[in-house]
Amino acid sequence: MASRLIDWYERNYRDLPWRNTRDPYRIWLSEIILQQTRVQQGLPYYQRFVNAYPTIYALANAPQQEVLRLWQGLGYYSRARNLHACASVVVNDHDGQFPNTFEMLQKLPGIGKYTAAAIASFAFGQAVPVVDGNVYRVLARLFGETTDIGSPAAFRVFFRLARQLLDPGRPHLFNQAIMEFGALHCTPQKPLCLYCPLQQHCWAFAHEQQQALPVKEKKTKVRTRNLHYVVATSPEGKLLLRQRPAGDIWQGLFDFYLQETLDLPAPWQAAEQLEDPFVQALLLLQPQYSVSPAYRHQLTHQRLQVRFFNFRLNHQMLGSLVLPAGMAWYSAEEIHNLPKPVLIQNYLKEAGF
Ligand code: SF4
């Protein structure tokens, strides 16, 4: 089966930049960028990072804010923070060289079993299987494996199956092959079973169970949040922003003063209804404000419903306003260079800022 997979791969693989290298730095970059991201979306980010930071030293020495700005739009910002932290650890503790084993790689920030296996096999030729979502699907169908792929046991079960199949002489090729086969051939909705080189060995094909496998039972609940952003503009056209703290979405990115409301009979409140000292102080100084249309933004486990209240302030109002901790005024140019959630970026664009 391994030989058939590799034959298939050599005839069908997509020529992607990280496939033409054994450089652990570039392989690691591509793996972190491509987690939970489609190849077409991740490709320009990979190129942007390689151009901006051709070596791990360049990445380790870059300011975190710059790294987050480059990452903007990819989501899951903890990956970008870990990317930066990992570069520092490799430079400071490992002399700029990635450790070359599956076990050692997992000790680095942001590197789990999957990424460690990818670097160990693609860069260093270690015979360890790489098990991603595509590989789960291929293995579940080939072997009729019904373990829920969202369960804690899944990785161990599928890792063992993959190790049985792995070609120990060509781990790098085998891993690329099975991942690509899942991405292009044994796809979730319409696997190309009629032209499949593994058809004779495939449990799902023999039992017509392709659609039932892999088993994924857990559905994470999506929570709805109502966000009210206060956009204060100074007479010089500066905007009031702050850097988001740890413990919530978008850590380290910049957004406006925010009030969140829960369990409302209606999702929207007027600014006057927000029981917040800063908003109330603002309204005393400037009772006139405009409200943006509703923005809706979907994250993996959260549905955001967002409105922006726009307050234009004159010099006199500004003199009497006490800013909440962490808030500061930023010019258009400064804002352009700040890392921001895509939602804020879209709003600024549509508001003509
Ligand atoms: Fe996937 Fe169909 Fe091939 Fe089985 S026969 S491995 S389900 S494409």
Side-chain angles (χ1 to χ4, degrees):
M1 277 204 264
S3 298
R4 284 175 183 234
L5 271 171
I6 291 171
D7 287 349
W8 175 91
Y9 178 71
E10 287 177 332
R11 278 181 280 114
N12 294 289
Y13 75 93
R14 292 167 292 179
D15 191 12
L16 299 167
W18 48 85
R19 294 219 164 116
N20 303 320
T21 180
R22 303 297 289 262
D23 175 1
Y25 171 61
R26 291 184 176 217
I27 289 166
W28 164 72
L29 260 186
S30 70
E31 291 300 336
I32 302 290
I33 288 172
L34 290 179
Q35 282 167 22
Q36 288 143 323
T37 302
R38 283 174 297 110
V39 166
Q40 283 317 316
Q41 194 200 354
L43 193 53
Y45 283 88
Y46 171 78
Q47 273 150 353
R48 220 176 286 165
F49 268 83
V50 167
N51 291 341
Y53 312 121
T55 65
I56 195 154
Y57 289 95
L59 176 56
N61 292 329
Q64 191 195 60
Q65 204 157 301
E66 186 186 290
V67 175
L68 288 172
R69 177 72 180 82
L70 215 57
W71 190 271
Q72 188 174 298
L74 261 183
Y76 303 98
Y77 288 89
S78 58
R79 284 189 289 156
R81 284 190 297 276
N82 277 331
L83 187 85
H84 194 228
C86 182
S88 300
V89 172
V90 172
V91 164
N92 295 322
D93 300 352
H94 299 275
D95 228 5
Q97 305 296 318
F98 275 88
N100 61 5
T101 64
F102 178 55
E103 291 72 24
M104 288 291 291
L105 282 160
Q106 288 177 63
K107 299 194 170 134
L108 296 173
I111 298 196
K113 287 190 168 65
Y114 165 77
T115 311
I119 302 171
S121 87
F122 301 158
F124 302 117
Q126 195 180 354
V128 55
V130 180
V131 185
D132 71 351
N134 287 321
V135 176
Y136 278 145
R137 183 169 56 258
V138 174
L139 294 173
R141 287 173 174 170
L142 278 177
F143 293 102
E145 176 54 60
T146 55
T147 301
D148 175 5
I149 61 168
S151 71
F155 185 84
R156 193 173 28 83
V157 170
F158 286 95
F159 189 83
R160 202 168 47 218
L161 288 176
R163 203 162 43 198
Q164 285 172 25
L165 269 191
L166 182 78
D167 179 340
R170 297 183 288 176
H172 164 251
L173 261 182
F174 172 83
N175 283 328
Q176 294 280 15
I178 191 166
M179 290 163 82
E180 191 76 336
F181 183 75
L184 301 182
H185 196 102
C186 189
T187 53
Q189 298 310 327
K190 290 188 180 151
L192 304 169
C193 302
L194 287 182
Y195 315 101
C196 180
L198 304 179
Q199 192 198 78
Q200 289 166 314
H201 305 281
C202 179
W203 186 93
F205 180 77
H207 298 83
E208 296 186 14
Q209 290 293 307
Q210 295 94 321
Q211 292 310 322
L213 292 167
V215 173
K216 188 170 186 198
E217 281 166 3
K218 275 193 194 140
K219 281 248 182 293
T220 316
K221 254 180 92 183
V222 175
R223 145 170 104 105
T224 300
R225 297 173 69 174
N226 302 309
L227 307 184
H228 303 262
Y229 272 121
V230 175
V231 186
T233 311
S234 78
E236 296 81 23
K238 292 186 172 182
L239 299 184
L240 198 57
L241 287 106
R242 55 100 193 233
Q243 189 166 28
R244 290 184 61 86
D248 195 1
I249 53 173
W250 302 329
Q251 184 189 329
L253 306 195
F254 284 75
D255 66 356
F256 306 111
Y257 187 78
L258 175 62
Q259 278 297 296
E260 183 168 354
T261 50
L262 297 166
D263 304 326
L264 290 173
W268 309 117
Q269 289 195 319
E272 288 80 358
Q273 292 170 282
L274 295 173
E275 291 173 13
D276 173 74
F278 178 65
V279 177
Q280 293 305 321
L282 207 54
L283 281 165
L284 281 178
L285 294 168
Q286 173 55 294
Q288 310 288 328
Y289 65 92
S290 62
V291 185
S292 75
Y295 283 71
R296 290 191 165 75
H297 194 72
Q298 186 72 45
L299 301 170
T300 316
H301 305 310
Q302 299 187 26
R303 187 181 302 118
L304 307 182
Q305 307 192 111
V306 188
R307 284 207 176 181
F308 295 86
F309 298 124
N310 299 282
F311 291 84
R312 292 201 151 269
L313 305 177
N314 60 31
H315 284 291
Q316 199 186 354
M317 297 166 182
L318 215 58
S320 320
L321 191 66
V322 180
L323 297 186
M327 304 297 305
W329 296 102
Y330 293 89
S331 68
E333 199 188 338
E334 288 166 329
I335 293 173
H336 178 76
N337 292 322
L338 292 176
K340 303 169 286 295
V342 167
L343 172 78
I344 300 294
Q345 171 101 329
N346 291 344
Y347 166 76
L348 287 168
K349 204 168 154 199
E350 281 166 30
F353 193 75

